[in-house]
Amino acid sequence: EMVTTDEERLGRLEQAVQYTEQSVTLAPESSIAFAVRAFALDWYATYVKYTLLDEALGEKLLADAEQAISRALVLDETNVQAQIYYAEILIDRQRFEQADSALRNALQVAPDLWEAHRVNGLYLENQALYVEAIEEYKEAVRLAPNMTFLYIKLGQSYRLLGMRSQMSVYDNPYFPEALDYFARAASLNEQLGIQDPYPYLGIGYTYAQMGEFFVATRNMERALAFNPNSARVYGDLGMVARQGNNYELAVMALGCAVRGCEAEVSCEVRQCNEELDPAIPITGMA
């Protein structure tokens, strides 16, 4: 969750799956080895299904994850970590009643495991219980304060509440909360030395929802400075620039995202200093 490009995430997930395959081969009677393998397969499946848009492979990987977690629980039915991962797999397979049962047991036995609260937040979010989900993510943050992606998740949750609220932008309490959690994520990343565009993308989209398109664009440009090779981030910048009627920037950024662009164009989009930040040609998503 804390690597910064799609390519890095895919590579990490593939490595995780490979290592866990080795671990269950070396320790075929280890419940935790099968539990962690199931966890890796589940996250890999989600990435394949929703980022690579390969639904068939995603479903196969989810089935493999469920098989691995079943083995983990056969080896040790009291393995709380396995119960938590089982609940996450059930959520991803949309078997919410079973997921709820697994989570209730895990939270009763081990209320101080941050991942139990993270997964429970995910379950509540899937039930459209957004306020309750936020409370669970906050508890996960309290127990694991260096997990940057939890702050981003809280920012996204508050932004969603702000978008759903009928209050005016000026009276809406959720957007400031969203901005605060994205800012915390950015600050924590700086402390940890993580070059992650996602907090700034979150800030940018929040300001765009508030109608503050100039500030939104500036934060999107800052995100792009962290990840100047990502067609996806160029696309995000282009969409926000278009909303703010900055059509010249929107055309260039969206062009880089879809078709790719020459190094000089990418540098113009990023407003880079070529002496400090060399121009980089971009390969588009088309």
Side-chain angles (χ1 to χ4, degrees), residues 5-280:
T5 68
D6 289 342
E7 292 79 8
E8 286 176 310
R9 289 187 177 201
L10 179 60
R12 287 285 180 88
L13 290 165
E14 289 175 341
Q15 283 183 318
V17 169
Q18 290 167 8
Y19 281 125
T20 58
E21 184 176 7
Q22 294 174 29
S23 71
V24 296
T25 301
L26 292 168
E29 301 303 315
S30 169
S31 174
I32 194 63
F34 277 95
V36 175
R37 175 155 178 77
F39 171 63
L41 284 166
D42 177 57
W43 277 33
Y44 186 37
T46 303
Y47 185 91
V48 165
K49 192 172 180 179
Y50 296 109
T51 302
L52 302 183
L53 302 180
D54 190 335
E55 186 166 353
L57 179 56
E59 287 298 322
K60 179 187 180 302
L61 290 166
L62 279 175
D64 291 344
E66 190 166 1
Q67 184 176 12
I69 205 66
S70 295
R71 177 62 180 161
L73 290 169
V74 165
L75 289 167
D76 181 3
E77 63 180 9
T78 67
N79 184 339
V80 179
Q81 201 74 43
Q83 292 170 11
I84 295 167
Y85 295 153
Y86 183 41
E88 187 164 12
I89 293 166
L90 291 169
I91 291 166
D92 290 333
R93 305 211 81 177
Q94 299 187 10
R95 285 154 51 186
F96 297 115
E97 189 172 330
Q98 288 176 271
D100 182 45
S101 176
L103 283 167
R104 298 286 73 72
N105 184 68
L107 286 165
Q108 183 176 4
V109 173
D112 291 333
L113 282 180
W114 71 272
E115 282 193 292
H117 294 281
R118 174 187 68 82
V119 177
N120 196 35
L122 182 64
Y123 165 77
L124 292 166
E125 202 173 60
N126 275 272
Q127 302 303 302
L129 298 171
Y130 301 112
V131 174
E132 293 87 345
I134 282 172
E135 293 306 312
E136 282 297 270
Y137 291 136
K138 284 182 177 179
E139 182 63 12
V141 162
R142 186 186 70 80
L143 294 166
N146 284 337
M147 290 294 175
T148 310
F149 75 94
L150 294 173
Y151 295 84
I152 294 173
K153 190 67 178 173
L154 276 162
Q156 292 170 337
S157 299
Y158 272 117
R159 187 176 67 217
L160 178 62
L161 284 179
M163 292 165 60
R164 289 173 172 266
S165 173
Q166 299 300 311
M167 290 180 283
S168 72
V169 169
Y170 302 104
D171 297 326
N172 193 314
Y174 301 118
F175 288 135
E177 290 279 5
L179 291 171
D180 179 61
Y181 276 104
F182 287 131
R184 291 193 203 184
S187 176
L188 182 57
N189 278 340
E190 187 174 347
Q191 294 174 38
L192 297 174
I194 299 170
Q195 300 289 310
D196 186 357
Y198 286 98
Y200 296 102
L201 291 173
I203 292 169
Y205 271 122
T206 303
Y207 274 119
Q209 291 294 331
M210 297 168 69
E212 301 285 347
F213 295 109
F214 177 77
V215 182
T217 299
R218 296 301 297 167
N219 277 281
M220 290 292 187
E221 288 172 340
R222 190 165 184 184
L224 196 55
F226 282 119
N227 198 348
N229 301 321
S230 172
R232 184 184 299 271
V233 180
Y234 281 89
D236 289 335
L237 170 60
M239 292 298 292
V240 168
R242 184 185 66 82
Q243 286 181 283
N245 299 328
N246 188 346
Y247 297 116
E248 183 179 359
L249 176 60
V251 167
M252 287 192 295
L254 290 171
C256 288
V258 176
R259 298 187 301 270
C261 58
E262 299 294 331
E264 292 76 10
V265 177
S266 75
C267 196
E268 186 174 355
V269 171
R270 292 182 287 125
Q271 299 182 4
C272 67
N273 182 333
E274 293 190 28
E275 293 182 1
L276 302 174
D277 186 10
I280 302 170

